[in-house]
Amino acid sequence: MDHLINHPGILAVFGIAVFIMLLLDLGIFNKKSHEVSTKEALTWSIVWISLSMVFSGVIYYYMDFENFARFQSAYWIEKALSVDNLFVFILVFTFFKVPKHLHHRVLFWGIIGALVFRAIFIFAGVEMINHTYLPDMTIFGQTVRINVVLTIFGIFLLYSGIKSWFSKEENDANADLSKNPAVRLVHKFFKVSENYDGDKFFTVQNGVKMATPLFVALVVIEFTDLLFAVDSIPAIFAIAPDDPFILYTSNIFAILGLRSLYFLLANFMDSFSKLKYGLAIILAFIGVKMIISPFYHMESWISLTVIGSVLTLSIVLSLLFPPKHEQ
């Protein structure tokens, strides 16, 4: 938390920037529900990425290169791992037959919820890490200080990376989400209408207040984001386990740009068929980094170089060798 205390100005810049952009997004540019065009999605994607890069420049100017590299590494890790979320968005909108002009509204409030839950996960995780260090011990003649939580996270990420590499494609366009725990939870507490009522999450029919299918879709997206956070949050702890400021700001900037990225890439997801293997390598790499951290400290610029190189290579290979679809 030292960086947060010593540089309150940076925290203020972050808070003001996020607040203004969300206000502009919902209150002005998207005040009325509409179908987001590719041009609009591209513009907002550039805006969010540019804003993230400018903020990382502020960190470099007021802090140092180490924190700049940490922010960049955590940002691109979250950005890459969130690609899986895009597949889920497509499945949810398809299953619940959400009209295209309502996609933005669902994603906006879904991401607002993600901001809250990510804050809880990150700050609680840092606190938990700070209290789970084992006493100094000597292994192979070297004095080390092992952290139980980071080691468990490392093993989990290494396993996730290996499992992801060998897993088959699970994104079925005909997936049945009716038995999803989030759907059952909504039906347990609310009556759900069969039809949409414009862009409303709740409606009144025959004097009874009911949730609309739009609300159900929102809850499912929130629920799946929590599941994906199980991978992404431990992954960024490998970058800066003791600095929730770097972790949260990088994570939030990546999440805020996810909505526009969805509208930009929704029709081209099949073009990134090799990205799955790149993400598997990154998860395994981060897992190994966590496991060996008591014995060897890897500089942040090395992590940033590896992550950037793997992502770039997997995207290039996806474009050079597109998947062959059966006719």
Side-chain angles (χ1 to χ4, degrees):
M1 294 291 288
D2 291 339
H3 295 311
L4 189 59
I5 297 173
N6 296 334
H7 299 278
I10 301 180
L11 181 62
V13 169
F14 168 74
I16 292 172
V18 171
F19 177 76
I20 291 176
M21 293 304 296
L22 290 176
L23 192 63
L24 290 174
D25 190 349
L26 185 65
I28 298 178
F29 295 107
N30 294 289
K31 190 173 183 179
K32 294 183 179 180
S33 298
H34 66 285
E35 185 174 342
V36 178
S37 65
T38 301
K39 181 180 179 181
E40 183 181 351
L42 177 60
T43 300
W44 275 101
S45 293
I46 293 174
V47 167
W48 280 117
I49 293 176
S50 299
L51 193 61
S52 305
M53 296 303 100
V54 169
F55 186 77
S56 69
V58 173
I59 290 177
Y60 176 73
Y61 182 80
Y62 286 102
M63 292 184 179
D64 50 36
F65 177 78
E66 177 70 12
N67 283 290
F68 167 81
R70 282 179 163 192
F71 178 92
Q72 288 283 345
S73 297
Y75 174 81
W76 290 111
I77 286 174
E78 179 61 38
K79 201 76 169 174
L81 293 178
S82 64
V83 171
D84 279 344
N85 289 38
L86 304 185
F87 286 106
V88 174
F89 295 164
I90 295 173
L91 291 179
V92 172
F93 290 144
T94 300
F95 181 80
F96 291 104
K97 297 182 174 66
V98 180
K100 287 189 176 182
H101 69 279
L102 296 179
H103 287 191
H104 180 276
R105 178 171 172 78
V106 174
L107 294 181
F108 180 88
W109 289 108
I111 286 173
I112 293 297
L115 302 187
V116 176
F117 288 119
R118 296 302 174 97
I120 295 173
F121 287 166
I122 289 173
F123 284 90
V126 170
E127 195 64 25
M128 187 168 57
I129 289 171
N130 289 335
H131 289 84
T132 53
Y133 279 98
L134 297 177
D136 290 353
M137 60 184 71
T138 302
I139 300 178
F140 302 120
Q142 180 181 357
T143 301
V144 297
R145 193 181 184 201
I146 297 175
N147 185 280
V148 176
V149 172
L150 289 179
T151 302
I152 293 174
F153 280 170
I155 295 172
F156 171 73
L157 290 175
L158 179 58
Y159 168 77
S160 295
I162 295 173
K163 182 180 179 182
S164 178
W165 179 279
F166 293 103
S167 67
K168 295 181 180 180
E169 190 64 49
E170 297 178 352
N171 299 300
D172 184 2
N174 299 313
D176 183 7
L177 299 178
S178 61
K179 297 181 180 179
N180 185 284
V183 175
R184 292 181 175 181
L185 187 66
V186 174
H187 280 273
K188 184 176 181 180
F189 290 97
F190 303 99
K191 290 185 176 181
V192 180
S193 64
E194 294 184 2
N195 302 314
Y196 288 88
D197 185 5
D199 60 359
K200 296 179 181 178
F201 290 122
F202 292 91
T203 187
V204 177
Q205 294 184 0
N206 299 322
V208 179
K209 188 174 183 179
M210 308 176 73
T212 66
L214 196 66
F215 179 74
V216 181
L218 172 63
V219 174
V220 172
I221 284 180
E222 288 283 13
F223 178 74
T224 52
D225 179 72
L226 292 177
L227 296 181
F228 280 116
V230 173
D231 272 347
S232 63
I233 297 300
I236 61 174
F237 278 134
I239 305 301
D242 59 344
D243 196 339
F245 172 66
I246 292 294
L247 297 178
Y248 186 64
T249 53
S250 59
N251 199 269
I252 293 316
F253 270 121
I255 291 296
L256 288 172
L258 181 60
R259 186 178 64 259
S260 54
L261 189 64
Y262 163 77
F263 291 111
L264 184 63
L265 301 180
N267 296 325
F268 307 99
M269 294 306 295
D270 287 342
S271 300
F272 300 96
S273 58
K274 305 298 185 297
L275 187 59
K276 160 189 164 181
Y277 301 104
L279 297 181
I281 293 173
I282 290 174
L283 284 175
F285 165 74
I286 296 171
V288 171
K289 179 183 177 181
M290 278 183 159
I291 295 171
I292 68 173
S293 60
F295 308 92
Y296 174 74
H297 171 68
M298 188 178 297
E299 297 292 339
S300 296
W301 69 266
I302 298 178
S303 299
L304 180 58
T305 302
V306 171
I307 293 166
S309 300
V310 172
L311 280 178
T312 302
L313 181 61
S314 60
I315 292 175
V316 170
L317 290 177
S318 296
L319 298 176
L320 292 177
F321 304 99
K324 297 179 180 180
H325 295 290
E326 295 183 3
Q327 296 297 325

